[in-house]
């Protein structure tokens, strides 16, 4: 019998909550033959990365996943064999009752936030709270051995490599999105939150010795881009030129297309959680805009990742990567750190692929969840 999984996603803000759960749901269906119901409280956020979503439908099937609108007024539904509360979201009280009423109680997990901090290893798979005999467990994704790993579909790296070795496929893909970079221009994607340091980075890119074509998906950073360009309102399709820098605004694309976009770029600025992981699988150098948390605790997370990521770089390249990422995450001036990074370009490029391969040695998150369930029953 196929195991039935319920994944609960409450969209707090932005796209990471739905981005992660949608990716996980699809993978459980496609690679582990699970029956998956994905409960989402905000179908509009979902629609951005999956345009075939019908926001009016409470129940629909998408790529083998039963997508359910998670209504404010809960309608009774039987509990599944495995229940995932993504990012510590609160399950409907009636659903919790349904879990407790089952003959065999379900495996209930909190799928936590991604962090490279060491303590994650000690907490991964630990029991959390209990509700009427139903035990909840912590499940932590992560970069270290002993965590739940990262979302990575089977064959992803092979597909990525084939695409990166096929200039025609890349050109056709970009052209279909209206992107035609000049020959030899450096292609950069920019997905970030508001950032006061952006202007200094754009200044240096516009006066650099090499041309840059910057792709900016519509979103939160656009205000800073507009201010730097001195224009009122940018929309998808707009292209502006300043010195050797071309700035192109692009529409938010489907998740699979966003992967390909990252694969095409020489450098990717990403944010949050899911785009951050996808940029690592792209095997290209990246810059992470971490999601801000109270009391700057996100900076500990940033340092923990940087310590791991740069451990095998030469001291000078390590300092360059750390300097750039720290500047970006503290709204500091980006000019000098960017120039430093360029000086170590070849080493940092090579390292991006090595890091990707090292991370791919771990079991992926979906497999780790399935294995946990199998060992639990
Ligand atoms: O959007 P994010 O900032 O999301 C989150 C949320 O804020 C969440 O609450 C917080 O906990 C988390 O960050 C840390 O960044 P993220 O995680 O990268 O999610 C973006 C998703 O959008 C990801 O799945 C990739 C997808 N995407 C597309 O599908 N198409 C696009 O064009 C772009 C730019 C992104």
């Amino acid at each position: 019998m196929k195991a039935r999984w319920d994944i609960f996603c409450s969209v707090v803000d932005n796209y990471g909550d739905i981005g992660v759960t949608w990716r996980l749901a699809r993978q459980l269906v496609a690679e582990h033959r699970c029956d998956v119901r994905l409960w989402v409280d905000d179908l509009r956020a979902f629609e951005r990365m999956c345009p075939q979503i019908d926001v009016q439908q409470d129940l629909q099937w998408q790529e083998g996943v039963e997508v359910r609108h998670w209504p404010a007024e809960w309608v009774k539904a039987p509990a599944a064999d495995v229940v995932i509360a993504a990012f510590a979201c609160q399950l409907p009280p009636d659903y919790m009752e349904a879990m407790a009423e089952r003959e065999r109680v379900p495996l209930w997990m909190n799928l936590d936030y991604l962090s490279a901090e060491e303590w994650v290893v000690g907490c991964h798979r630990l029991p959390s709270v209990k509700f009427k005999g139903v035990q909840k467990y912590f499940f932590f994704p992560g970069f270290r051995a002993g965590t739940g790993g990262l979302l990575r579909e089977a064959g992803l790296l092979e597909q990525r490599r084939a695409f990166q070795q096929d200039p025609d496929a890349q050109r056709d893909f970009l052209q279909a999105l209206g992107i035609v970079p000049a020959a030899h221009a450096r292609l950069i994607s920019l997905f970030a939150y508001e950032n006061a340091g952006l202007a200094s980075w754009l200044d240096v890119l516009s006066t650099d010795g090499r041309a840059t074509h910057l792709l900016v998906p519509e979103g939160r950073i656009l205000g800073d881009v507009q201010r730097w360009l001195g224009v009122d309102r940018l929309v998808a399709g707009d292209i502006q030129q300043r010195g050797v820098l071309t700035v192109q605004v692009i529409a938010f694309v489907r998740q699979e297309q966003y992967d390909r976009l990252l694969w095409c770029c020489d450098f990717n600025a990403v944010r949050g959680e899911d785009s951050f992981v996808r940029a690592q699988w792209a095997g290209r150098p990246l810059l992470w805009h971490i999601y801000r948390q109270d009391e700057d605790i996100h900076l500990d997370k940033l340092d923990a990742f940087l310590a791991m990521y740069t451990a095998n770089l030469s001291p000078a390249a390590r300092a360059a990567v750390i300097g750039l990422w720290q500047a970006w995450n503290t709204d500091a001036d980006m000019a000098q750190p960017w120039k430093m990074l360029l000086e170590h370009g070849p080493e940092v490029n090579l390292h991006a692929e090595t890091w990707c391969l090292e991370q791919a040695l771990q079991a992926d998150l979906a497999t780790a969840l399935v294995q946990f369930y199998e060992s639990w029953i």
Side-chain angles (χ1 to χ4, degrees):
M1 269 257 293
K2 278 188 182 182
R4 291 187 57 93
W5 293 55
D6 267 335
I7 302 176
F8 285 85
C9 170
S10 167
V11 177
V12 177
D13 59 4
N14 306 312
Y15 305 103
D17 309 296
I18 183 59
V20 167
T21 49
W22 171 227
R23 199 181 286 292
L24 171 64
R26 275 183 297 173
Q27 203 185 337
L28 286 170
V29 169
E31 295 173 26
H32 299 281
R33 303 183 55 253
C34 306
D35 272 335
V36 182
R37 237 176 357 186
L38 173 61
W39 296 92
V40 187
D41 64 356
D42 177 2
L43 292 176
R44 295 226 174 255
F46 196 173
E47 191 190 17
R48 289 297 298 278
M49 67 190 64
C50 177
Q52 60 270 33
I53 283 288
D54 181 345
V55 294
Q56 307 298 337
Q57 293 295 329
D58 288 338
L59 193 167
Q60 59 197 296
W61 287 85
Q62 297 291 350
E63 300 188 35
V65 176
E66 184 182 338
V67 175
R68 298 288 289 263
H69 180 231
W70 176 357
E73 285 285 304
W74 181 252
V75 278
K76 253 192 167 0
D81 304 307
V82 188
V83 179
I84 296 185
F87 308 115
C89 68
Q90 288 298 321
L91 301 186
D94 281 357
Y95 186 86
M96 289 175 50
E97 293 292 343
M99 289 200 302
E101 281 162 14
R102 275 178 57 120
E103 203 177 300
R104 176 192 268 165
V105 293
L107 170 62
W108 177 24
M109 287 176 282
N110 177 45
L111 178 60
D112 241 287
Y113 289 97
L114 174 62
S115 173
E117 290 162 300
E118 263 180 52
W119 61 263
V120 166
V121 177
C123 295
H124 176 53
R125 294 167 55 144
L126 279 190
S128 162
V129 294
K130 215 171 192 176
F131 175 79
K132 294 189 176 175
V134 191
Q135 179 65 61
K136 186 177 182 180
Y137 293 88
F138 292 109
F139 205 93
F140 279 90
F143 304 94
R144 296 172 186 273
T147 67
L150 303 171
L151 282 172
R152 188 187 73 248
E153 299 81 359
L156 178 74
L157 300 192
E158 292 74 12
Q159 273 178 45
R160 187 263 287 175
R161 243 172 260 125
F163 186 74
Q164 285 178 338
Q165 284 162 8
D166 185 344
D168 293 343
Q170 289 178 61
R171 191 203 49 228
D172 293 350
F173 167 77
L174 290 172
Q175 259 177 18
L177 295 179
I179 303 165
V180 187
H184 311 302
R186 178 195 291 128
L187 198 57
I188 299 183
S189 73
L190 172 62
F191 182 47
Y193 309 114
E194 297 77 4
N195 195 318
L198 179 70
S200 56
W201 190 18
L202 300 185
D203 281 343
V204 74
L205 287 175
S206 65
T207 53
D208 193 28
R210 182 178 169 193
T212 294
H213 195 116
L214 183 73
L215 302 170
V216 192
E218 279 182 314
R220 289 176 54 176
I221 191 84
L222 265 196
D224 294 304
V225 177
Q226 284 167 190
R227 259 185 300 283
W228 183 79
L229 288 167
V231 297
D232 272 351
R233 185 166 171 263
L234 290 170
V235 292
D238 286 350
I239 301 182
Q240 296 268 336
Q241 184 81 36
R242 298 290 183 278
V244 292
L245 173 64
T246 307
V247 178
Q248 179 168 8
V249 182
I250 57 171
F252 207 88
V253 291
R254 292 202 325 269
Q255 252 186 352
E256 310 80 76
Q257 290 177 302
Y258 183 60
D259 268 336
R260 285 187 157 59
L261 190 78
L262 296 171
W263 300 351
C264 286
C265 288
D266 302 297
F267 188 88
N268 292 299
V270 284
R271 73 184 204 192
E273 194 160 303
D274 191 51
S275 59
F276 172 49
V277 172
R278 304 315 280 187
Q280 291 169 59
W281 297 139
R284 297 276 160 88
L286 69 149
L287 173 61
W288 183 26
H289 204 189
I290 191 168
Y291 184 78
R292 274 193 191 196
Q293 288 173 281
D294 292 341
E295 294 164 30
D296 282 349
I297 54 170
H298 59 284
L299 294 180
D300 296 337
K301 262 173 126 174
L302 179 71
D303 289 345
F305 180 79
L306 278 170
M308 275 192 89
Y309 185 72
T310 62
N312 293 328
L313 284 172
S314 67
R318 181 182 313 143
V321 172
I322 293 176
L324 185 79
W325 286 39
Q326 284 181 340
W328 190 233
N329 284 287
T330 52
D331 291 330
D333 194 281
M334 291 285 284
Q336 216 34 46
W338 176 248
K339 285 181 191 158
M340 287 264 294
L341 188 88
L342 289 185
E343 279 175 26
H344 301 283
E347 185 182 345
V348 173
N349 274 338
L350 210 64
H351 177 67
E353 182 68 44
T354 313
W355 170 261
C356 169
L357 296 181
E358 272 169 30
Q359 284 300 316
L361 295 176
Q362 271 209 84
D364 66 90
L365 182 66
T367 302
L369 282 162
V370 170
Q371 284 171 351
F372 184 42
Y373 173 59
E374 284 169 355
S375 64
W376 180 83
I377 48 169

